[in-house]
């Protein structure tokens, strides 16, 4: 694999390789098996894969979160070396390379700007829009893989691509979990041991919610989720919403749900000082 940190070198390398389709996996590093699974999928589908490692400052509404975000580029490269092939590229740009001047673009993602993560992290998806559109312009991928772990982000990116008319194909990837069910996340390593021990209850709870929908209405399910999570010391429920697949409009009552349609139960939890998100498909069968 090649490790490249400038746009010029990245573009000239891709040009001289002249391989297609170009597969792309954008990440913020601190890689785990979730990321690596996306990379393997990209490699199965493309003769050349670009993996970017860039902690994007514009998507952090909380500056402390940006400061504390885990970074270990040497370890990341070691993990990628086991998967990537000779022609694949790890792109590790600096902030100045991505934003030579301040990015003042303002995106509008409709309802996606109003719910869940958007409500609690103002400006977050605008930053995601900035970095992903910038990276797409630089890499010019034919396909890009994004994890369903960040369910709302995936919807935002599909909307971004729809708005820009970019030809890139967005491929969703299932959530990769630890053995105990906790969704893998770079932030998991920041959890205090006791919090980490209790964190699998997040997935257990949304799994329970997905079963309860057969016989219970949504307010009861939301109550169960809140009780379950807040029974744990130092855990706080930020939200649990059941939303439709595309616009992510919250469904308030079971009667609004249509059999055969896809819905997702999306949760955000403050676990100690760390914010964790997860989601599960929920449907009337
Ligand atoms: P991040 O480094 O957190 O920005 O994540 C980079 C990509 O990896 C995004 O598309 C995420 O949705 C995806 N990702 C992160 N964790 C997981 C996971 N546990 N399972 C599947 N995809 C993931």
């Amino acid at each position: 694999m090649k490790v490249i940190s400038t746009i010029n070198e990245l573009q000239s390398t891709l040009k001289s390789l002249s391989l297609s389709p170009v597969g792309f996996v954008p990440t913020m590093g601190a890689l785990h098996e979730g990321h690596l699974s996306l990379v393997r999928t990209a490699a199965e589908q493309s003769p050349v894969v670009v993996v970017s490692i860039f902690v994007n400052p514009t998507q952090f509404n909380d500056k402390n979160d940006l400061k504390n975000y885990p970074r270990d580029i040497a370890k990341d490269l070691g993990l990628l070396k086991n998967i990537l092939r000779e022609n694949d590229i790890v792109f590790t740009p600096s902030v100045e390379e991505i934003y030579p001047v301040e990015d003042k673009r303002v995106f509008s993602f409709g309802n996606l700007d109003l719910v869940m993560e958007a409500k609690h992290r103002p400006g977050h998806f605008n930053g995601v829009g900035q970095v992903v559109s910038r990276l797409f312009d630089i890499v010019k991928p034919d396909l890009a893989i994004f994890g369903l772990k960040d369910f709302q982000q995936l919807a935002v990116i599909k909307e971004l691509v729809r708005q820009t008319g970019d030809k890139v194909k967005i491929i969703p990837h299932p959530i990769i979990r630890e053995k105990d069910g906790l969704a893998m996340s770079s932030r998991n390593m920041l959890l205090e041991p006791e919090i980490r021990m209790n964190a699998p209850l997040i997935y257990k709870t949304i799994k329970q919610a997905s079963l309860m929908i057969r016989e219970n209405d949504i307010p009861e399910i939301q109550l169960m989720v809140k009780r379950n999570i807040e029974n744990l010391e130092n855990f706080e429920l930020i939200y649990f919403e059941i939303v439709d697949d595309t616009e992510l409009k919250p469904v308030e009552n079971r009667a609004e749900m249509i059999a055969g349609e896809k819905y997702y139960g999306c949760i955000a939890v403050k676990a100690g000082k760390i914010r964790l998100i997860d989601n599960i498909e929920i449907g009337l069968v």
Side-chain angles (χ1 to χ4, degrees), residues 7 51 159:
I7 297 168
V51 178
E159 175 59 18

Side-chain angles (χ1 to χ4, degrees), residues 26-28 32 34-35 38 69 146-147 149-150 174-176 184:
T27 82
M28 297 204 299
H32 50 66
H35 298 112
L38 269 62
Y69 199 82
F146 289 88
K149 158 84 172 27
D150 299 281
I175 301 175
I176 305 296
M184 288 193 180

Side-chain angles (χ1 to χ4, degrees), residues 235-247:
F235 279 65
E236 184 196 329
L237 180 68
I238 303 172
Y239 63 77
F240 172 74
E241 303 275 10
I242 297 179
V243 299
D244 72 81
D245 192 21
T246 34
E247 281 187 70

